[in-house]
């Protein structure tokens, strides 16, 4: 649970880094949107049982925090790359494949996925971590990173909805409360951007 909460600090880090690297302004509405979104994520991940958050393994938390920081930095720096998104994503993933292959050889050994594992691996690689990155890069180029970041808090809420619809996960009242927080954060953020555009 604590790992998932720390993992979802990356939208907050995007806002912070965009202030320093991209020179974007932090309005109080963006700050409220980030806070509401993060509260919504915590509510959904804990199912409203906040006592479940217990930082027990500091080294894992530090590594997850480092990963969240890396993705936030990746997002902010990607905003200024003026190349075609599909090509850029292909270069990113080719580099990641080489790095992963070398680390696999060092820490483990090569293993061919079983027939049952092929479909999830391909689905995850092509859709979840492939085209989603292309869409993310396109979205980053269309607006401020600090405006876009709070909307990503919808991810755990959508995951909970998918679990309910496709895997018969029981409906928990906390999911609704988390959704309300995330949507409220998105509305506050949209108002901030609309006022700026006007």
């Amino acid at each position: 649970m604590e790992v998932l909460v720390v993992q979802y600090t990356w939208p907050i880090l995007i806002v912070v880094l965009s202030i320093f690297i991209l020179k974007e302004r932090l309005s109080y509405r963006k700050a409220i949107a980030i806070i509401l979104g993060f509260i919504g994520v915590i509510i959904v991940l804990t199912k409203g049982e906040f006592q479940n958050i217990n930082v027990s393994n500091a080294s894992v938390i530090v590594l997850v925090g480092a990963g969240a920081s890396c993705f936030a930095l990746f997002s902010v720096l990607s905003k200024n790359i003026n190349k075609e998104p599909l090509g850029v994503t292909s270069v990113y993933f080719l580099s990641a494949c080489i790095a992963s292959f070398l680390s696999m050889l060092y820490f483990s050994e090569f293993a061919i996925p079983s027939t049952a594992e092929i479909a999830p691996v391909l689905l995850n690689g092509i859709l979840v971590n492939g085209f989603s990155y292309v869409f993310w890069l396109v979205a980053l180029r269309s607006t401020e990173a600090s405006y876009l970041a709070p909307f990503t808090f919808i991810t755990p809420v959508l995951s909970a909805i998918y679990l309910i619809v496709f895997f018969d996960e029981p409906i928990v009242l906390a999911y609704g409360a988390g959704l309300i927080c995330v949507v409220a954060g998105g509305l506050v953020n949209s108002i901030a951007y609309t006022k700026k555009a006007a």
Side-chain angles (χ1 to χ4, degrees):
M1 193 63 63
E2 58 265 25
V3 166
L4 291 171
V5 171
V6 172
Q7 181 182 356
Y8 267 88
T9 59
W10 66 266
I12 298 169
L13 295 170
I14 286 177
V15 173
V16 172
L17 291 172
S18 67
I19 294 168
F20 294 104
I21 297 173
L22 302 175
K23 307 303 181 194
E24 295 179 3
R25 281 187 58 248
L26 176 64
S27 67
Y28 74 92
R29 289 182 191 272
K30 285 181 187 174
I32 291 170
I34 283 287
I35 292 167
L36 283 172
F38 193 64
I39 290 171
V41 166
I42 292 174
I43 290 171
V44 169
L45 293 178
T46 62
K47 297 182 180 177
E49 298 174 6
F50 302 110
Q51 69 275 10
N52 287 343
I53 299 176
N54 178 24
V55 181
S56 55
N57 196 334
S59 61
V60 171
I61 297 299
V62 168
L63 288 173
V64 171
S69 301
C70 287
F71 186 73
L73 185 61
F74 162 83
S75 297
V76 170
L77 294 178
S78 294
K79 183 164 176 57
N80 290 330
I81 296 176
N82 296 320
K83 304 293 182 187
E84 188 268 324
L86 186 58
V88 169
T89 304
S90 298
V91 170
Y92 290 157
F93 277 85
L94 178 62
S95 304
C97 282
I98 293 169
S100 297
F101 184 76
L102 293 175
S103 63
M104 176 197 66
L105 292 177
Y106 184 77
F107 292 107
S108 184
E109 60 185 22
F110 183 77
I112 296 174
S114 68
T115 307
E117 294 167 337
I118 290 287
V121 166
L122 289 176
L123 182 67
N124 184 49
I126 294 169
L127 294 179
V128 177
N129 287 312
F131 286 111
S132 65
Y133 275 67
V134 175
F135 296 144
W136 179 241
L137 291 177
V138 171
L140 280 170
R141 291 177 187 184
S142 66
T143 188
E144 291 182 344
S146 59
Y147 167 73
L148 191 61
F151 291 105
T152 62
F153 286 120
I154 196 71
T155 307
V157 177
L158 289 176
S159 297
I161 292 169
Y162 293 157
L163 287 171
I164 291 167
V165 172
F166 296 113
F167 297 101
D168 297 322
E169 174 87 7
I171 297 173
V172 179
L173 188 61
Y175 293 160
L179 179 61
I180 290 169
C181 285
V182 170
V183 170
L187 290 173
V188 169
N189 202 28
S190 295
I191 292 168
Y193 192 74
T194 305
K195 289 197 170 186
K196 181 183 173 184

